[in-house]
Amino acid sequence: MERVDAVGGARRATIKDVAARAGVSPSAVTIALHDKPGVSASTRERILEAARELGWRPNLAASSLAGRAVHTVGLVIARPARMLGLEPFYMEFISGIESVLVRRSCSLLLRLVEGDGEVEVHREWWQGGRVNGCVLVDLRVDDPRIDALASIGLPAVVVGHPSLAGPFTSVWTDDAAAVEEAVRYLAALGHRRVARVSGPVELGHSAIRTDAFTEVSRRLGLEARTVVADFSADQGSRACRNLLLESERPTAIVFDNDVMAVAALGVAAEFGLSVPGDLSLLAWDDSQLCQLTRPTLSAMRHDVFSFGAQAAGTLFDVMAGVTPPAHRAHVPSLVPRGSTAPPRR
């Protein structure tokens, strides 16, 4: 709500108003609102509650005059807009980022690009003073963004394995460990011919998963192969169809996202195959899609919302001049459901 002055006009709530409501000094309010150390957790919460009750918002003009640019975080995603809307992973990931930004009165600047335009977008944002830092996603092997953005001094956090991050701090999941759990599970069910439908081969996490899938399958004595798709339902269907047309078709397939795994249910029906009787399917990144299908899809569960929040929180440390170490999020865990079972003899 707005404060009302002596002549009845509305005015913005100020830091002094928040301090009076919370029963603290204005300096304590400044510390709490900018999420700096110096006040207790209970005092910080009391101050934030007072700010919410008064409808306090930062005075952007005053911040600029004081030389303190308002925080805006950038995120560039190389996906067609239509495809992004169908991919639950990024919807959850962005929600996680926003959960941190909203507490700090910050904004997310999102751009979708196709092709290799990401470096220019980041350079334009940084040199034009439009962002304070960026979250880098979908890291590629020898990603050209790393050297280019490091050279202009852009504060950034990489969402990907530390081996892909160059000088930037990374927030990452242990894809290799998760792949091993998935393959061991299928082997324990009795599957001996397994396949995987991956995302684009140039993506760093695709390469890590492929190497892990090949290695653990070899150790377990399984026949295994990986085919490449682009995370879309169309290409996921096509890849699944090609695998099922083989003379020695796999009895279990792992998919690098949920959208492709859901599409594979339709392909199995085309071939007159039952899931999981004739074919077991396992998805990456558990989502509501996996729980709404019939049968429900077994999946590798990953708390994507928290992953986005961790990336945003780490970026604020970087923008504050701190260089935090690489942070490993929890390893995705297997959630068995109705789409996996022992193969028919």
Side-chain angles (χ1 to χ4, degrees):
M1 71 181 185
E2 293 180 313
R3 304 286 290 175
V4 179
D5 63 19
V7 294
R11 68 174 178 85
R12 295 173 61 92
T14 67
I15 283 180
K16 288 184 178 180
D17 296 326
V18 176
R21 171 67 67 94
V24 298
S25 67
S27 61
V29 174
T30 300
I31 289 170
L33 293 177
H34 290 87
D35 205 18
K36 301 294 185 183
V39 296
S40 68
S42 60
T43 299
R44 186 187 308 276
E45 183 54 38
R46 191 166 76 251
I47 291 169
L48 293 176
E49 179 62 26
R52 286 192 291 268
E53 290 173 354
L54 293 172
W56 180 87
R57 295 290 183 274
N59 187 321
L60 305 189
S63 295
S64 297
L65 290 173
R68 297 190 302 272
V70 176
H71 283 305
T72 301
V73 169
L75 175 64
V76 181
I77 302 176
R79 291 280 199 288
R82 183 181 298 275
M83 182 175 171
L84 184 70
L86 298 173
E87 200 166 1
F89 174 89
Y90 271 118
M91 297 300 99
E92 283 289 302
F93 184 76
I94 291 171
S95 295
I97 291 176
E98 287 282 13
S99 73
V100 173
L101 301 189
V102 71
R103 296 198 305 267
R104 299 172 183 251
S105 299
C106 297
S107 300
L108 178 67
L109 184 57
L110 174 66
R111 178 78 63 84
L112 304 183
V113 300
E114 296 187 44
D116 298 321
E118 293 178 68
V119 169
E120 286 309 310
V121 171
H122 283 112
R123 183 180 288 117
E124 173 192 325
W125 283 353
W126 178 239
Q127 294 177 344
R130 300 184 64 190
V131 298
N132 297 87
C134 288
V135 177
L136 305 181
V137 296
D138 285 341
L139 268 289
R140 300 186 286 277
V141 178
D142 298 323
D143 198 303
R145 291 174 292 177
I146 297 300
D147 289 342
L149 301 183
S151 69
I152 63 173
L154 173 71
V157 165
V158 163
V159 177
H161 193 273
S163 64
L164 306 169
F168 295 111
T169 296
S170 65
V171 178
W172 58 290
T173 56
D174 194 338
D175 288 310
V179 166
E180 179 159 354
E181 181 181 4
V183 176
R184 286 188 174 279
Y185 166 68
L186 295 174
L189 290 177
H191 294 279
R192 289 296 173 264
R193 292 193 305 277
V194 297
R196 172 171 158 268
V197 178
S198 83
V201 68
E202 66 271 13
L203 292 179
H205 65 259
S206 290
I208 290 170
R209 293 178 192 179
T210 297
D211 290 345
F213 183 78
T214 301
E215 174 58 22
V216 70
S217 297
R218 183 193 63 77
R219 291 202 312 266
L220 295 173
L222 309 182
E223 296 178 33
R225 63 170 300 199
T226 294
V227 294
V228 177
D230 67 352
F231 299 124
S232 71
D234 285 346
Q235 285 208 15
S237 296
R238 185 176 297 112
C240 182
R241 220 172 265 119
N242 289 338
L243 287 168
L244 296 181
L245 286 170
E246 294 178 352
S247 57
E248 293 291 325
R249 69 185 181 212
T251 59
I253 306 175
V254 179
F255 294 84
D256 263 17
N257 76 347
D258 44 6
V259 173
M260 294 192 296
V262 170
L265 286 169
V267 175
E270 289 174 18
F271 281 74
L273 301 176
S274 70
V275 176
D278 299 312
L279 178 67
S280 285
L281 304 177
L282 194 154
W284 205 275
D285 290 330
D286 188 22
S287 71
Q288 284 196 345
L289 282 180
C290 297
Q291 300 171 49
L292 294 174
T293 59
R294 290 295 177 270
T296 54
L297 280 166
S298 299
M300 300 304 296
R301 174 174 290 169
H302 177 200
D303 189 345
V304 180
F305 182 92
S306 294
F307 195 36
Q310 289 170 6
T314 303
L315 179 58
F316 274 95
D317 289 338
V318 172
M319 293 189 299
V322 179
T323 306
H327 175 71
R328 190 183 77 166
H330 70 279
V331 178
S333 58
L334 177 70
V335 182
R337 294 198 183 98
S339 67
T340 50
R344 285 181 177 159
R345 299 298 180 186

